[in-house]
Structures are given as C-alpha cells and as structure tokens.
Amino acid sequence: MSAPTAHHSPTTPAAPGRDACDVTADGAAWLASAETYPRSALAHWRSRPCAPAVLPCGSAFDVISAPVVFGRRMLDRLWEEGPGSGPVAAHRGRVLLFTAPGTAQRLPSLLAWEEWGRAVPSVLCHGTGDAVTVPPPSAGAPGSAAAHLESRWLVAPDTRHPWLPGPEVMLWACVRAARSAASAAVRISIFPGGDQDAKVYDVSRRR
C-alpha cells in the first residue's frame, strides 16, 4: 500500500518551536464547535483549564482510538512517511486520533477487507452518537488531575479548521503500523528501547 498523498491545511501552519502540546485559542474553539453550545463549553474550560472534557463525535470530527503502543506506531508512520495527522491525544492507555467525520463508519469495513486487518489490535471507531474524553487545554502541573489520568495532547489543536485524515489515510496508517510491529517482533536488537514519551512531533510540518 503506497503512502497517501500529502494534503495541505487551508490555514497557516504552526510556527516552528511552538510546543505541540499547547492548545491555542483557535484550537479550543474548534473543539468546542463539536458541542451544541460552544460558548458554554469555552466558558467551562476557562473556569477549569486543567479538567478533561467529554465531547461528542460525528459533527466536527470522528475519533479513532488505538492501544497506546500501536497508536504511537500509527502516529510515527503518519509523520515520517505519510501526510501528517490532525490533532492527537493520549488518554488512559489509548491514543486518540482525530479524523474527518464519517471515518468511524467506513474504517471497520476497510479493515475487514484488508489483508493486514487481522493484525490491527482493538482499534475503536467513535462517530455519530459516541463521545470521547479529551485532555484539558492546559497540561497542568505534575500531580494534577490531567497528569494523574495520563491525559495529554500529543499533537494539540491549533487552528479553527484543522486538516483531518479520512478513512483511507487511517487504513494506510493501521497497515503500516501492523507491518512495523510484525518486523519489530522478529528483529533482534542489542540496543535498549528509547523513551516513547520523548517523541516530539514538529507541527510546523503539518499538512
């Protein structure tokens, strides 16, 4: 399966050097647009900036949830070989990849027809009628509720109109991650594994 074609966001990419885990005001507005009353959601976040939020899927975005190790493999493939990603969060041992609406409905059938589909572990697809818990806009200090829940942004929202990958891009990322995992299982390495939490994604490269 060849790499998906690069896409470009209609907005200006984030400035180099900005922390990829910071949610901007525009990013918070985009998240709030998923709610029936966006202004109320923004007011709630201003009063509790370190509290996670529960947002409905299906209108502004869908969410593909993967186990943390497999999800990080997907994210690595998207940034190293593919078109980049939309916003991505980690929450309670899962990686949440924000995707275009409709992705949650189509991805399961695409995986069912894919040869490597059986090698993709417990990917959950959240679309219309579902809701997900997302990290707070502010990471908070060590020991805060967000830190305790292992809830943080890996690629934080920074625009009102982020580019979101569709089902074909997610299928490609799942297959590439599954192949990478299979290769790692048979590879013998004399080097210790690195700290997976140390990975930083350069949002200035975002499509």
Side-chain angles (χ1 to χ4, degrees), residues 83-173:
S85 72
V88 182
H91 182 73
R92 289 186 171 177
R94 309 284 296 188
V95 171
L96 310 179
L97 297 105
F98 286 69
T99 63
T103 301
Q105 182 179 6
R106 286 202 57 202
L107 183 59
S109 60
L110 293 177
L111 285 171
W113 283 96
E114 168 59 45
E115 177 183 359
W116 281 84
R118 294 183 180 181
V120 177
S122 60
V123 171
L124 306 178
C125 301
H126 302 289
T128 302
D130 299 325
V132 293
T133 301
V134 303
S138 174
S144 66
H148 176 70
L149 293 173
E150 297 182 342
S151 182
R152 63 194 183 282
W153 290 102
L154 302 178
V155 181
D158 62 357
T159 173
R160 289 178 181 266
H161 303 286
W163 176 75
L164 299 173
E168 292 82 6
V169 175
M170 284 292 98
L171 174 66
W172 177 87

Side-chain angles (χ1 to χ4, degrees), residues 172-201:
W172 177 87
C174 285
V175 169
R176 294 296 297 174
R179 289 177 175 175
S180 174
S183 297
V186 299
R187 185 184 304 122
I188 300 176
S189 175
I190 62 173
F191 299 102
D195 179 5
Q196 292 197 23
D197 285 337
K199 188 80 173 185
V200 175
Y201 298 93

Side-chain angles (χ1 to χ4, degrees), residues 38-113:
R39 291 184 180 180
S40 297
L42 288 172
H44 176 75
W45 287 337
R46 281 193 290 268
S47 64
R48 301 183 63 192
C50 293
V54 178
L55 297 176
C57 301
S59 58
F61 52 77
D62 283 357
V63 170
I64 304 303
S65 170
V68 64
V69 173
F70 190 79
R72 291 300 287 263
R73 288 185 187 274
M74 290 178 64
L75 191 55
D76 287 347
R77 300 286 73 75
L78 284 166
W79 281 96
E80 293 173 6
E81 304 171 23
S85 72
V88 182
H91 182 73
R92 289 186 171 177
R94 309 284 296 188
V95 171
L96 310 179
L97 297 105
F98 286 69
T99 63
T103 301
Q105 182 179 6
R106 286 202 57 202
L107 183 59
S109 60
L110 293 177
L111 285 171
W113 283 96

